[in-house]
Amino acid sequence: MAASVVTWAGLAAFGRACGSIRSRLLGSSSTLSQVSCLHTSTELNSKHWERKNLVVYPPQQKDELRRPAEIYHCRRQIKYSKDKMWYLAKLIRGMTIDQALTQLEFNDKKGAKIIKEVILEAQDMAVRNHNVEYKSNLYIAESFSGKGKYLKRIRYHGRGMFGIMDKVHCHYFVKLVEGVPPKVEQKTGFDQAKEYVEQLRNRTIIHSL
Amino acid sequence: MATSICRTLKYLQPTICLNIKPVFVPIRTKKRYFIPPAVNVKQKSQSEQETKARAAGVVVRQQYIERAINISCTAGIFDPYIPPEGDARLSTLSKEGLKQRTEQLRQSAASQLAFRKIKDHDPEFSTKEFPALAQQIFIDAHAALTQFNKEKLHSLVTERCYPEMVRGNRYKTLRWRFIESLEPPRVVHARCPDMISKGNLYGQVTLRVHSRQTLAIYDRFGRLMLGDEDEPRDVLEYLVLERHLVNPYGRWRLHGKIVPAWAPPKDPIIKTVIIPGPTLKPEEAFEDLHYQVPKPKAVQWYK
């Protein structure tokens, strides 16, 4: 085992030095009017996705197109990998809600059952709280997974070696929109080839005769 | 790998058992991250668990089972006014209408008593001027509800009426307009109940209001849920206002509405709603059951 000569006193001194450097940087930037070099990130425990359900739009006029209802729902700290969950989220993107529920019901993965529960909850919320008329008239506009907080444990190897094992958790987010899902245009290989040839033909040669 | 010490010595004094001499006992101080559940343990009853916990020295904090009571308003409408049938159907000019009106106000001796009691505590109260004041409170309260001005709404409406007005409306847009009053508002009923102790008087006065109003409710996305902004409707309402008479800072506030049993049914919302039907067995068909949707009983209720 490598012996590191890092003592607690040394670490503390390093931390203090870092702090002074950062405060000096902040001081120099605050003299300028713009603080563009600072990167503002989200705070810990930010529940932005849930807050999207609290947005109120002003009343529409009679001649405007009826705004489709959007319902945001998520589940946090699911005991599953975010990469494995991504496959299921990608599967149901753009499907109608009934089609998505059928596909998830007959999928063998662990995350399928969880996503199905989330979508059913969101559908119930939509009908009760968000004034959605027909519960089948919804489609999945956005669906993705994110990394949750991992717990760390020790994985024992041979010869006294150890590794840090991550107990993975993920979040799952879904946005349901009222109406018929938009048609995605399927581009054939022939169309792509035609476009490529057109691009080549539209090139102009500058500084030529 | 450097590890912290996991064993310390605890000094045991002869407190509980007098046979033991004072001695140092080695104990483990390393934190246990996971304690597996004990196997083959018999279920202890509540009293046994308590004695064990007390012996171990575990103190459970006293649990306060508190329930907040609001004393600035009563919880309901006492001895409510029962509006006579056909109230707005008969015109005021016909003989029958006039007779009914004069009868109502003279009849109830209890109302007269209540008025006297109210005038004892609040000398500025008068049956002639109160209706105009009350109608203004009503209009202001509904305007505050449209803007969702919480502080103003609390000052114009009692704590019993507030949740009923506000429930479900937080993420909706309300547009309400009071166009005109078709008949001058009248006081029809009054009661002075006392809560808990004998002298704690609250005054409840019922007002009959016949007016023209428009109402439109839009949901979170700005789509019309109910009503129409341009279509005024004639509305007959029985408002109940309450005041805590004994409190010198008490004010007349809207306490509730009485919806009579003969009131016409409300308009349906602009949405198809599923009414839960009977659960069918595999051999039954829904058409053969001849299911009648149950209609609610025509009972007077309070809003």
Side-chain angles (χ1 to χ4, degrees):
Chain A
M1 272 173 273
S4 51
V5 201
V6 182
T7 53
W8 286 114
L11 270 173
F14 183 63
R16 259 181 272 127
C18 270
S20 64
I21 293 168
R22 212 179 292 129
S23 56
R24 235 179 290 144
L25 269 175
L26 274 170
S28 62
S29 58
S30 60
T31 50
L32 307 162
S33 49
Q34 287 129 344
V35 214
S36 54
C37 54
L38 277 183
H39 158 244
T40 44
S41 59
T42 53
E43 324 82 38
L44 283 170
N45 280 345
S46 47
K47 304 285 177 201
H48 292 307
W49 197 257
E50 288 90 333
R51 266 188 263 153
K52 290 193 181 207
N53 267 336
L54 308 177
V55 167
V56 181
Y57 292 94
Q60 283 182 305
Q61 313 300 327
K62 289 199 180 112
D63 50 341
E64 274 178 46
L65 268 174
R66 193 175 154 94
R67 189 181 277 123
E70 293 176 346
I71 299 101
Y72 296 86
H73 194 44
C74 66
R75 192 179 278 203
R76 307 275 181 179
Q77 295 295 114
I78 305 167
K79 182 73 194 70
Y80 201 50
S81 159
K82 67 172 174 17
D83 302 310
K84 294 178 194 166
M85 194 64 113
W86 182 87
Y87 287 108
L88 293 160
K90 178 81 177 137
L91 172 71
I92 59 172
R93 236 171 248 181
M95 286 187 182
T96 47
I97 198 166
D98 290 332
Q99 196 186 0
L101 288 168
T102 344
Q103 288 297 323
L104 291 168
E105 190 170 326
F106 296 102
N107 193 309
D108 296 324
K109 289 180 186 263
K110 172 173 150 183
K113 195 167 156 193
I114 298 164
I115 296 185
K116 188 165 165 233
E117 282 171 26
V118 174
I119 295 183
L120 284 171
E121 265 177 27
Q123 192 186 48
D124 192 47
M125 260 167 53
V127 172
R128 270 179 220 261
N129 307 344
H130 297 100
N131 193 30
V132 161
E133 205 168 341
Y134 304 109
K135 64 177 192 179
S136 302
N137 196 23
L138 295 161
Y139 70 93
I140 306 203
E142 285 173 26
S143 124
F144 54 95
S145 65
K147 173 186 171 291
K149 289 228 171 79
Y150 291 171
L151 293 173
K152 298 200 192 331
R153 297 284 179 265
I154 302 179
R155 195 197 185 279
Y156 300 95
H157 291 279
R159 288 169 166 257
M161 306 289 254
F162 67 95
I164 306 178
M165 183 163 54
D166 284 326
K167 295 283 183 188
V168 292
H169 290 78
C170 65
H171 306 309
Y172 176 69
F173 305 91
V174 73
K175 170 174 159 185
L176 298 172
V177 174
E178 206 179 2
V180 180
K183 259 200 170 68
V184 183
E185 222 186 86
Q186 298 290 339
K187 249 189 174 175
T188 54
F190 184 74
D191 284 325
Q192 284 178 322
K194 231 170 61 172
E195 268 189 31
Y196 176 64
V197 170
E198 261 197 59
Q199 267 181 20
L200 290 176
R201 287 196 176 139
N202 291 342
R203 294 177 298 179
T204 47
I205 302 165
I206 54 167
H207 300 320
S208 65
L209 296 164
Chain B
M1 200 166 60
T3 50
S4 49
I5 42 162
C6 312
R7 282 171 208 274
T8 52
L9 296 166
K10 187 175 165 189
Y11 186 61
L12 259 187
Q13 276 205 336
T15 41
I16 305 164
C17 225
L18 290 165
N19 311 346
I20 306 173
K21 282 180 272 187
V23 88
F24 278 101
V25 176
I27 53 163
R28 267 189 72 182
T29 51
K30 188 168 183 193
K31 183 178 171 184
R32 283 135 167 101
Y33 288 102
F34 176 63
I35 303 165
V39 184
N40 297 336
V41 82
K42 33 175 216 239
Q43 299 297 323
K44 292 187 208 80
S45 74
Q46 199 64 28
S47 49
E48 279 177 42
Q49 276 179 334
E50 273 174 42
T51 40
K52 270 233 156 171
R54 217 175 295 139
V58 171
V59 175
V60 178
R61 201 184 272 193
Q62 192 190 36
Q63 285 169 337
Y64 297 102
I65 305 169
E66 289 176 345
R67 207 183 145 190
I69 316 171
N70 208 312
I71 50 169
S72 50
C73 74
T74 48
I77 301 170
F78 292 88
D79 211 357
Y81 174 63
I82 299 170
E85 265 212 55
D87 197 355
R89 312 285 186 261
L90 301 164
S91 72
T92 1
L93 299 174
S94 77
K95 230 186 184 180
E96 289 243 359
L98 272 172
K99 251 202 278 179
Q100 248 194 5
R101 244 137 283 247
T102 43
E103 264 178 41
Q104 271 160 29
L105 203 46
R106 298 283 172 68
Q107 215 172 37
S108 42
S111 287
Q112 296 303 317
L113 250 173
F115 282 132
R116 219 164 294 151
K117 265 199 215 169
I118 294 172
K119 276 177 196 155
D120 282 338
H121 289 271
D122 181 17
E124 290 159 5
F125 180 83
S126 95
T127 334
K128 303 244 165 32
E129 285 154 37
F130 184 68
L133 226 130
Q135 200 178 49
Q136 195 51 46
I137 293 175
F138 169 74
I139 296 172
D140 288 339
H142 282 69
L145 178 64
T146 329
Q147 309 303 322
F148 200 63
N149 188 351
K150 271 200 272 193
E151 294 92 17
K152 198 156 168 229
L153 204 51
H154 269 295
S155 68
L156 291 164
V157 145
T158 59
E159 283 79 17
R160 181 228 173 227
C161 184
Y162 180 83
E164 288 176 356
M165 278 181 105
V166 160
R167 188 167 295 146
N169 295 341
R170 178 115 174 265
Y171 301 112
K172 296 194 178 101
T173 326
L174 299 168
R175 290 242 172 109
W176 179 84
R177 236 174 55 219
F178 185 89
I179 297 174
E180 56 167 0
S181 166
L182 295 166
E183 284 172 20
R186 282 184 312 114
V187 172
V188 290
H189 191 74
R191 285 289 182 271
C192 264
D194 41 0
M195 301 288 291
I196 305 163
S197 63
K198 192 157 181 282
N200 192 17
L201 277 178
Y202 292 83
Q204 287 180 349
V205 175
T206 315
L207 197 83
R208 177 187 176 277
V209 176
H210 194 37
S211 56
R212 193 169 278 155
Q213 298 166 15
T214 42
L215 176 66
I217 306 180
Y218 298 90
D219 68 353
R220 229 188 91 210
F221 305 100
R223 314 183 297 197
L224 189 61
M225 269 177 96
L226 186 68
D228 194 347
E229 241 181 296
D230 304 318
E231 192 203 319
R233 299 257 179 116
D234 296 338
V235 167
L236 175 64
E237 284 169 330
Y238 297 92
L239 308 170
V240 177
L241 290 111
E242 197 197 50
R243 182 182 161 157
H244 190 185
L245 296 168
V246 188
N247 180 10
Y249 304 110
R251 268 185 286 186
W252 286 105
R253 297 187 293 176
L254 194 60
H255 191 57
K257 273 193 209 175
I258 295 178
V259 181
W262 42 264
K266 289 201 272 194
D267 268 359
I269 49 172
I270 309 168
K271 187 175 126 151
T272 29
V273 179
I274 305 175
I275 304 172
T279 38
L280 299 170
K281 288 197 214 101
E283 58 270 8
E284 286 174 356
F286 180 65
E287 288 82 21
D288 300 331
L289 276 175
H290 297 291
Y291 182 70
Q292 300 282 331
V293 175
K295 282 201 169 44
K297 280 197 296 190
V299 175
Q300 172 167 308
W301 57 287
Y302 317 104
K303 254 218 304 199

